[in-house]
Amino acid sequence: MGSYALPRPDLRRTLRGLLPSLAAGLLAAAALTAPAPAHAAESTLGAAAAQSGRYFGTAIASGRLGDSAYTSIASREFNMVTAENEMKIDATEPQRGQFNFSAGDRVFNWAVQNGKKVRGHTLAWHAQQPGWMQNLSGSTLRQAMIDHINGVMAHYRGKIAQWDVVNEAFADGSTGARRDSNLQRTGNDWIEVAFRTARTADPAAKLCYNDYNIENWTWAKTQGVYNMVRDFKQRGVPIDCVGFQSHFNSGSPYNSNFRTTLQNFAALGVDVAITELDIQGASSTTYANVTNDCLAVSRCLGITVWGVRDTDSWRSGDTPLLFNGDGSKKPAYTAVLNALNGGSSTPPGDSGLMIRGVGSGRCVDVPNVSTADGTRVQLWDCNNGTNQQWTQTASGELRVYGNKCLDAGGSGNGAGIQIYSCWGGDNQKWRLNSDGSIVGVQSGLCLDAVGAGTANGTQIQLYSCSGGSNQRWTRS
């Protein structure tokens, strides 16, 4: 990923410690008595989406990064990037065991240099397989899929916000069944194996299933995917999110029950995302409806449109995007921006969670309801106090009291876990995994009760993930 121009944690904290305590107290008092100001309308899509903790992204093609008009719009408007084709199987492993990340890295590096996060697309798919993979079958193909996932995710480990682990595995039509593909013919457990492989390869990434024509709640394909996700969640298969491609057109039109679909999937305990949005004719009303659907569902992470201008679209004849070929904004752009600016100010995520240790039955607790930066957290009898209520934000923070974050004081085994004023660092971001582990994004290490302790006052630390009951947590 490269280094970021962020101050060292020790320096950052020292500088913050220089603030006069009296001034801090006056500010705190003012914050308690003054109403929160309404946020001002933002002038770009990414900034407007960020007001509610979401993102608004686009697909980027490496071959267009030399087009200054293209990059100007992309850099200005979006805060999430998906590589259009450059991270797919044929691009990243053209020969078996010989990986090529040059095009993928070009997109990734451009995104990071321009302050954007990246979605990975896609690891296991029946399409865009290189010839060598198309010629494999059975256990040989299964192993090749596992090796591919491991190879690509190792290269981007800790750098990708979300991965589309499996893409388009369900058939169109009225059956709700799996698609017949060479991957499906390796055994019905291939999707589960892909997700389990991906979790081990990069514990920090959100793992998504991605598909099209699953937006309409009444469709059999939607129900097929829903049943798979429900089964995975019940059995502990590590799936974190579902991506809805949302290629709306005359053959697959937008339906107002899309919001119901998003809500029902989110109720299973997964995040949802709109991953490849384009709308035939770029109806302002439909674009606004889709945006509002995402804003209405707390676990909707954000929206990605599949291309920048109409001329960049894979469906350019349908003029489906927010910008004309000359780069000018369409009425649909204004409709989306207005929807984002008028949207919920509550970030997506779970709120008011108590984090309970499986081994101890006790909760992650801030001693004595302290709000002081640097206070070490501990295990304590669960009492539903404000010092035990954690809010998971879309960026992966675990917040207490609204403005303090669960914070790793280092990145090695034994690093203390404390609360600290939220500042956006990776040491304050966590992956809450379906196996019950909570993994630090910066360190890749697990939240751990020191010495496998179970008593009140046991401190919490980072430690290499072992699967022990002192590293597994439930949330309620």
Side-chain angles (χ1 to χ4, degrees), residues 76 114 144 207 360 366 474:
R76 180 186 74 229
N114 285 275
L207 307 181
S360 65
V366 184
T474 61

Side-chain angles (χ1 to χ4, degrees), residues 448-473:
D448 173 286
V450 172
T454 60
N456 280 337
T458 300
Q459 292 193 322
I460 311 298
Q461 64 181 359
L462 288 179
Y463 214 83
S464 299
C465 299
S466 65
S469 62
N470 66 315
Q471 294 186 348
R472 289 186 288 118
W473 311 85

Side-chain angles (χ1 to χ4, degrees), residues 214-232:
I214 60 169
E215 295 80 18
N216 188 319
W217 179 244
T218 67
W219 286 4
K221 185 175 182 180
T222 307
Q223 294 301 311
V225 175
Y226 177 85
N227 290 334
M228 178 190 72
V229 175
R230 180 174 58 186
D231 172 61
F232 279 10

Side-chain angles (χ1 to χ4, degrees), residues 44-50 54-58 74 77-81 116 277 287 291 301-305 322 333 336-337 340:
T44 65
L45 300 171
R54 293 169 174 83
Y55 61 80
F56 203 97
T58 190
E77 294 290 342
F78 304 105
N79 57 357
M80 179 71 82
V81 161
K116 305 174 195 318
L277 178 64
Y287 260 110
T291 304
L301 300 172
I303 299 170
T304 297
V305 288
L322 299 175
Y333 170 94
V336 170
L337 185 64
L340 292 171

